[in-house]
Amino acid sequence: MKFRNLLSAFLLATSISSFATDYIPSPEVLKSREEFSDDRFGIFLHWGIYSMFGQGEWYLNYGPSAEEYMKAAQGFYPANFNAKEWVSAIKDSGAKYICITSRHHDGFSMFDTDENDYNIVDGTPFKRDILKELSEECQKQGIALHLYYSHLDWVRPDYPLGRTGHDTGRDLKPDWDSYYGFMNRQLTELLTNYGPIRAIWFDGWWDHDEDATPFDWHLPEQYEMIHKLQPGCMVANNHHQPPFPGEDIQIFERDLPGENTAGLSGQAVSRLPLETCNTMNGMWGYKINDQNYKDATTLIRYLVKAAGMGANLLLNIGTQPSGDLPATALSRLKEMGEWMRENGETIYGTEAGPFPAQSWGTTTRKGNRLFVHVMTPETSAIILPGNLKIKKAFEYRSKKPVSFSRQGEHTLLQFDSIPTGIDYIIECSL
């Protein structure tokens, strides 16, 4: 590692350690954390004027001028948006919460803000506050609402330029106090005008992670403001670092906790509630030629693996400019819902299993009930590691007894044949 990087890493660590360390979660936040961990499954919605270009949510970063890009708002008319249909389809999938982009890196606000006209109500012919409608419908149907909010901005001149957004042609006049005040006023609007918000999901801290001198985002003050505005509102930050004081959820992007196949989630796993966010196809925002959707088996197994690690899955859908959820995404939601109605008890309200995932699958636990999720077995027998004191074992669905025996310090489960299907679940009484 070069000296500059070593110095930056040291200064960053010093900066992080200087954050307020006396954060004590309120009883309301502790309740939200518990409910969140019990949910295990949520849906992420990336939607904004970037959807009109069909090139994903980072389109502005790759060449268009901010001035021309912002004009697209004048043609944004998502005529098919229907909050009731959205929430109903998501609830039917078995998901318990929604996280939607209230403002992404392009600076466009998907809610009615007094801070500028660059928003869904004042800047488009649609004139409707989609976030208000979605919030009200979530409350009606008992779905928790989380709000994504970008810490960086590719159009505002007062945002201090980081490592992205260099080619948008804006007239840079960096003024951190101005930009910080803008963000906090918008966050106040979101936490005042839109009913109960269970979490603010930040993104963009990494835009200044290569600065020679660590950038001070003033997060402790911002986090404190959020917790004061809504005592039950949790704070999450997709910064790809160990959790900072004041945060209530640890996020892992495109990876399960402890894994780092995508290069964004190598941080140590904390004791906070965990969430892995991943895409249903390839992109976060709508991309017209990205039809490479994961099949239902893959998605369900990923959800099960996350639960086996004590984590939630926040599964993303890139919403179309029309306001429609893509047909393939709706099909996947329906398939996941059918599976969850039969097997959700082995996912909701569970803890991580007593041992790491195995080649055949993973486990979840609820009190003295151990759910063994056999997804990719190679033989008709599997080993459960560790000194488990199993009293009985049986198929979760049929309740048919399953043979088990001690093998040294481990337990052998023996089946009549090699299990097939998405997930062959065995329940063991401990």
Side-chain angles (χ1 to χ4, degrees):
M1 182 182 287
K2 295 181 180 179
F3 173 75
R4 176 177 175 272
N5 290 336
L6 282 170
L7 178 61
S8 295
F10 171 75
L11 291 173
L12 174 61
T14 302
S15 174
I16 291 174
S17 66
S18 70
F19 285 177
T21 57
D22 57 352
Y23 170 58
I24 300 176
S26 68
E28 293 89 346
V29 161
L30 291 176
K31 184 173 183 288
S32 292
R33 288 184 181 183
E34 183 178 357
E35 292 174 350
F36 170 78
S37 293
D38 286 346
D39 286 352
R40 285 291 175 251
F41 183 29
I43 294 297
F44 212 172
L45 297 171
H46 273 70
W47 194 31
I49 59 172
Y50 46 79
S51 65
M52 299 173 67
F53 300 96
Q55 298 298 315
E57 76 288 354
W58 273 56
Y59 178 65
L60 177 56
N61 185 62
Y62 300 127
S65 76
E67 182 179 2
E68 292 301 313
Y69 177 91
M70 294 169 73
K71 292 177 183 178
Q74 300 169 21
F76 189 43
Y77 196 90
N80 294 341
F81 169 69
N82 185 306
K84 182 177 180 179
E85 291 180 359
W86 277 24
V87 177
S88 296
I90 289 169
K91 183 176 182 178
D92 192 56
S93 76
K96 299 294 187 179
Y97 63 100
I98 291 170
C99 182
I100 188 170
T101 50
S102 66
R103 171 177 166 272
H104 209 273
H105 310 328
D106 65 350
F108 183 76
S109 298
M110 294 292 283
F111 62 99
D112 188 12
T113 176
D114 290 335
E115 289 303 305
N116 55 41
D117 292 336
Y118 186 47
N119 67 74
I120 186 72
V121 175
D122 300 314
T124 79
F126 193 57
K127 301 298 181 185
R128 286 164 52 189
D129 189 340
I130 67 102
L131 189 54
K132 175 72 74 173
E133 295 178 30
L134 184 63
S135 173
E136 292 173 352
E137 192 59 40
C138 282
Q139 292 176 60
K140 288 179 183 178
Q141 298 200 36
I143 295 295
L145 183 61
H146 299 189
L147 300 180
Y148 171 110
Y149 189 87
S150 175
H151 262 138
L152 68 89
D153 195 299
W154 291 330
V155 303
R156 286 183 65 93
D158 58 354
Y159 172 71
L161 188 66
R163 59 180 172 91
T164 65
H166 286 235
D167 300 317
T168 64
R170 55 190 158 155
D171 183 17
L172 290 172
K173 297 178 182 178
D175 184 339
W176 171 249
D177 289 340
S178 170
Y179 182 70
Y180 187 64
F182 157 76
M183 286 197 297
N184 287 343
R185 288 190 298 274
Q186 281 209 320
L187 288 166
T188 299
E189 291 175 327
L190 290 169
L191 292 168
T192 302
N193 301 331
Y194 293 89
I197 305 301
R198 198 173 65 174
I200 297 293
W201 205 100
F202 286 115
D203 192 21
W205 179 96
W206 37 261
D207 196 44
H208 283 279
D209 64 2
E210 295 180 358
D211 290 7
T213 301
F215 189 82
D216 186 357
W217 289 94
H218 293 86
L219 296 181
E221 298 86 350
Q222 194 170 66
Y223 291 176
E224 184 179 8
M225 179 193 75
I226 291 168
H227 287 131
K228 283 184 177 179
L229 287 168
Q230 286 204 26
C233 183
M234 300 178 291
V235 172
N237 197 324
N238 187 37
H239 44 46
H240 312 145
Q241 303 292 318
F244 300 159
E247 296 172 4
D248 303 292
I249 300 169
Q250 184 176 11
I251 298 168
F252 298 85
E253 182 176 350
R254 292 188 183 272
D255 266 306
L256 296 168
E259 298 182 359
N260 194 26
T261 60
L264 299 171
S265 297
Q267 65 270 31
V269 180
S270 75
R271 298 181 67 180
L272 289 178
L274 310 176
E275 179 183 73
T276 178
C277 58
N278 214 326
T279 55
M280 192 176 281
N281 47 358
M283 296 292 292
W284 298 103
Y286 176 68
K287 187 173 183 179
I288 196 167
N289 63 352
D290 179 14
Q291 299 301 313
N292 188 27
Y293 282 82
K294 302 171 182 70
D295 60 32
T297 295
T298 298
L299 295 173
I300 292 168
R301 287 179 174 176
Y302 199 84
L303 170 61
V304 172
K305 290 176 184 177
M309 293 181 170
N312 289 17
L313 171 61
L314 181 62
L315 182 61
N316 181 74
I317 298 173
T319 307
Q320 294 174 177
S322 61
D324 291 298
L325 300 179
T328 305
L330 287 171
S331 176
R332 296 294 184 273
L333 291 181
K334 183 177 180 181
E335 292 175 275
M336 295 183 79
E338 291 170 353
W339 189 89
M340 289 294 280
R341 278 188 286 279
E342 289 188 359
N343 306 289
E345 184 186 27
T346 71
I347 304 296
Y348 301 129
T350 60
E351 301 175 350
F355 51 82
Q358 304 293 300
S359 61
W360 47 261
T362 190
T363 58
T364 55
R365 183 170 181 170
K366 187 178 292 184
N368 64 353
R369 303 171 70 190
L370 181 69
F371 303 107
V372 182
H373 298 270
V374 185
M375 296 180 283
T376 53
E378 296 182 355
T379 67
S380 59
I382 62 170
I383 293 289
L384 306 183
N387 187 23
L388 297 174
K389 297 180 180 179
I390 296 177
K391 298 176 181 178
K392 58 181 178 178
F394 50 91
E395 293 181 350
Y396 173 71
R397 298 182 187 89
S398 70
K399 309 305 179 186
K400 175 184 174 182
V402 171
S403 175
F404 67 95
S405 60
R406 296 289 298 178
Q407 297 289 318
E409 295 184 353
H410 307 308
T411 301
L412 177 73
L413 293 183
Q414 183 73 49
F415 314 122
D416 295 335
S417 59
I418 299 176
T420 59
I422 295 175
D423 182 7
Y424 178 63
I425 306 173
I426 305 299
E427 180 174 343
C428 297
S429 298
L430 302 178

